[in-house]
């Protein structure tokens, strides 16, 4: 096959290249290091809008209304108190709701996010918000590095499920966690074990050597250098909304609100990106085409999704059915998903894999009491968000041609 301009794909003897479509199946957040605090935004819950403020223009707006000194007093004395009014409630009392629309505020608003979270009779603050990552022009996009991480992880999991020797070597290193996790220095020892696991994995994905035949010693020598992924750019205006995280536990009905809010890309939004394989490198780990990569993504997603559905029986089946069209997880609030390489390593010993994840969680998050409470599944809670009246697992996407 050859490059045909406008069709978006090419294949030669060595290079397989395709323009792919990423469709968001469930609310998805890919956030950067930035967090928005209650000083950075005003949540107009009457309009269902979160206003990110341009502080210079906001202060100028307040000064024109002779309210700047009053606002400074509010920030110093009331905003910092847990029972203090939100910025919007203060402004409604001090200025009036009619002055707090996006038209009235004008340049005082640098950007707007949607949110439908409202608790009648309670303080309506979104606390800290993790915004969706954006480009320099303000448009939502999905970094290629995030997509590549999903692909790399799926391929390693595929290799673990299908290579018994590789799986056995990784299992041997990970089982050491169960021998030492009650020690006081367990966290430090875990780091050494994870380094050992990385070395085992690197050995199996290694392809580059020096002229004398000796291997290069870092990840740059791996077959994954033969996988290139561009940033995924929006196919149109991308709709987002600030949603609240909720937990649903294995042995409990209902959900528990968590005071964590994320700006999420909503379902059915689409992005386009390119995936390129240098098969001269990837064939060393058995990857020879983009179609094969897509099959592996589906295989890895199905294994994880089946495990979650089998353990969280008190979660409505509609939550899992909503991801029927997905073939990958990506982004924030997919904490368990990041541990699926461990479950892939123990595909023939599920209980031990769960025990190892429980031990890791217990050492790193002692207050959560994972050792005593994660009896059948670790972690014992699945992370959900509620949008449009329905609960969803976060981060479900579909990647395809």
């Amino acid at each position: 096959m050859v490059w045909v301009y406008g069709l978006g794909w090419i294949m030669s003897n060595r290079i397989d290249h395709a323009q792919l479509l990423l469709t968001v199946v469930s609310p998805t957040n890919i956030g950067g290091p930035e967090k928005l605090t209650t000083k950075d935004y005003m949540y107009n819950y009457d309009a269902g809008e979160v206003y990110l403020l341009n502080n210079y223009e906001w202060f100028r707006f307040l000064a024109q209304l002779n309210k700047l000194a009053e606002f400074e007093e509010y920030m110093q004395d009331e905003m910092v108190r847990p029972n203090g009014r939100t910025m919007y409630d203060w402004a409604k009392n001090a200025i009036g709701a009619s002055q707090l629309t996006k038209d009235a505020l004008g340049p005082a608003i640098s950007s707007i996010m949607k949110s439908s979270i409202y608790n009648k009779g309670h303080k309506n603050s979104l606390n800290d918000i993790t915004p969706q990552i954006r480009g320099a022009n303000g448009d939502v996009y999905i970094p290629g590095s995030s997509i590549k991480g999903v692909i790399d992880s799926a391929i390693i999991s595929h290799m673990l499920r299908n290579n018994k020797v590789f799986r056995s070597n990784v299992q041997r290193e990970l089982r050491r966690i169960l021998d030492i996790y009650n020690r006081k220095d367990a966290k430090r020892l875990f780091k050494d074990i994870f380094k050992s696991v990385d070395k085992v994995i690197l050995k199996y994905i290694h392809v580059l050597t020096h002229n004398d035949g000796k291997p290069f010693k870092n990840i740059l020598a791996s077959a994954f250098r033969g996988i290139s992924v561009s940033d995924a750019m929006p196919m149109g205006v991308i709709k987002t909304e600030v949603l609240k995280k909720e937990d649903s536990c294995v042995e409990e009905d209902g959900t528990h609100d968590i005071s964590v809010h994320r700006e999420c890309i909503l379902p059915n939004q689409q992005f386009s990106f390119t995936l390129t394989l240098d098969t001269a490198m990837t064939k060393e780990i058995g990857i020879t085409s983009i179609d094969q990569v897509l099959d592996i993504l589906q295989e890895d997603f199905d294994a994880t999704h089946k495990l979650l559905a089998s353990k969280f029986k008190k979660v409505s089946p509609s939550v899992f059915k909503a991801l029927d069209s997905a073939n990958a997880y990506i982004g924030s609030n997919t904490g368990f998903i990041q541990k699926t390489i461990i479950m892939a390593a123990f595909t023939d010993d599920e209980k031990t894999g769960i025990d190892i994840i429980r031990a890791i969680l217990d050492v790193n998050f002692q207050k959560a009491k994972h050792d005593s409470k994660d009896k059948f599944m670790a972690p014992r809670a699945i992370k959900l968000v509620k949008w449009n009246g329905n609960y969803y697992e976060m981060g479900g996407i579909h990647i395809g041609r």
Side-chain angles (χ1 to χ4, degrees):
M1 297 182 187
V2 295
W3 170 258
V4 181
Y5 186 79
L7 295 183
W9 58 269
I10 183 174
M11 189 170 180
S12 68
N13 290 335
R14 174 169 176 165
I15 302 298
D16 192 1
H17 173 95
Q19 191 83 26
L20 298 180
L21 186 68
L22 186 156
T23 302
V24 174
V25 178
S26 66
T28 296
N29 169 264
I30 300 170
E34 177 189 17
K35 283 192 184 297
L36 302 174
T37 71
T38 52
K39 294 180 181 179
D40 299 316
Y41 70 85
M42 178 190 297
Y43 178 32
N44 182 341
Y45 50 80
D46 292 320
E49 295 176 331
V50 181
Y51 302 146
L52 275 63
L53 298 174
N54 177 323
N55 284 331
Y56 173 78
E57 293 291 345
W58 169 236
F59 293 157
R60 212 159 73 98
F61 175 82
L62 292 172
Q64 290 171 353
L65 298 174
N66 201 28
K67 294 292 182 179
L68 184 57
E70 189 176 333
F71 178 70
E72 290 173 347
E73 183 179 347
Y74 157 76
M75 289 188 70
Q76 293 173 0
D77 298 336
E78 187 175 353
M79 178 182 271
V80 294
R81 297 202 312 263
N83 62 346
R85 289 172 295 174
T86 66
M87 189 188 299
Y88 179 66
D89 286 328
W90 170 84
K92 279 179 74 173
N93 293 336
I95 302 170
S98 63
Q99 295 292 317
L100 300 176
T101 65
K102 57 186 176 185
D103 292 332
L105 290 168
I109 301 174
S110 61
S111 62
I112 298 174
M113 297 185 292
K114 296 290 184 180
S115 182
S116 58
I117 298 170
Y118 178 70
N119 296 305
K120 188 175 182 179
H122 294 82
K123 182 177 178 179
N124 281 283
S125 170
L126 302 179
N127 298 323
D128 291 354
I129 299 173
T130 301
Q132 173 65 35
I133 195 167
R134 283 174 163 77
N137 62 356
D139 288 346
V140 171
Y141 78 103
I142 297 177
S145 57
S146 297
I147 302 170
K148 188 176 188 310
V150 171
I151 292 171
D152 291 354
S153 176
I155 291 173
I156 292 172
S157 295
H158 171 77
M159 293 171 65
L160 285 166
R161 290 188 183 98
N162 291 278
N163 186 326
K164 189 173 181 179
V165 175
F166 181 26
R167 188 166 68 246
S168 177
N169 289 338
V170 172
Q171 283 181 358
R172 184 179 62 249
E173 296 299 331
L174 288 172
R175 279 196 173 97
R176 292 165 52 202
I177 287 173
L178 298 178
D179 298 328
I180 60 148
Y181 86 94
N182 283 319
R183 289 175 50 169
K184 290 183 179 180
D185 57 348
K187 188 176 289 190
R188 178 183 63 79
L189 294 173
F190 280 7
K191 291 180 181 179
D192 293 336
I193 292 173
F194 296 149
K195 287 179 182 178
S196 297
V197 171
D198 286 343
K199 287 180 180 178
V200 173
I201 293 174
L202 187 58
K203 177 182 176 182
Y204 279 84
I205 63 175
H206 182 277
V207 295
L208 294 182
T209 59
H210 293 281
N211 291 333
D212 60 5
K214 293 182 179 179
F216 286 96
K217 294 184 177 180
N218 56 45
I219 193 66
L220 295 179
S222 82
F224 291 138
R225 279 196 68 190
I227 303 173
S228 300
V229 184
S230 74
D231 292 338
M233 305 309 294
M235 300 286 286
V237 176
I238 298 300
K239 296 178 181 179
T240 68
E241 187 170 322
V242 178
L243 301 175
K244 188 175 185 178
K245 173 182 170 183
E246 298 187 35
D247 278 357
S248 181
C249 294
V250 171
E251 298 181 285
E252 298 178 14
D253 294 316
T255 62
H256 303 279
D257 286 356
I258 307 295
S259 191
V260 175
H261 298 81
R262 294 185 170 97
E263 181 192 15
C264 296
I265 306 169
L266 297 179
N268 303 316
Q269 311 303 298
Q270 294 188 317
F271 300 79
S272 177
F273 71 97
T274 59
L275 173 60
T276 304
L277 298 185
D278 182 344
T279 59
M281 298 184 72
T282 61
K283 70 180 181 181
E284 299 298 324
I285 56 171
I287 306 299
T288 58
S289 73
I290 286 173
D291 285 339
Q292 186 183 5
V293 171
L294 296 177
D295 288 342
I296 287 171
L297 281 173
Q298 189 70 63
E299 169 199 292
D300 190 53
F301 173 83
D302 288 346
T304 302
H305 204 230
K306 181 180 178 181
L307 176 64
L308 292 175
S310 70
K311 297 297 183 181
F312 291 93
K313 295 184 182 297
K314 289 184 179 275
V315 173
S316 170
S318 64
V319 170
F320 299 109
K321 187 170 179 56
L323 266 65
D324 277 354
S325 63
N327 64 0
Y329 291 100
I330 196 170
S332 306
N333 215 22
T334 56
F336 173 79
I337 312 308
Q338 309 311 317
K339 303 171 185 68
T340 53
I341 284 180
I342 295 178
M343 294 310 300
F346 287 91
T347 189
D348 52 358
D349 188 1
E350 181 183 286
K351 182 181 181 303
T352 299
I354 292 172
D355 288 345
I356 289 169
I357 293 172
R358 176 169 53 240
I360 294 169
L361 292 172
D362 193 59
V363 168
N364 286 286
F365 306 100
Q366 294 181 2
K367 291 182 179 179
K369 299 180 180 179
H370 288 282
D371 188 46
S372 60
K373 292 187 175 182
D374 292 6
K375 296 178 182 178
F376 306 110
M377 185 62 177
R380 62 186 175 275
I382 188 171
K383 317 300 182 186
L384 307 175
V385 291
K386 193 173 186 178
W387 173 71
N388 206 23
N390 298 306
Y391 282 105
Y392 291 87
E393 293 178 78
M394 276 190 69
I397 60 171
H398 181 271
I399 294 172
R401 291 187 183 271

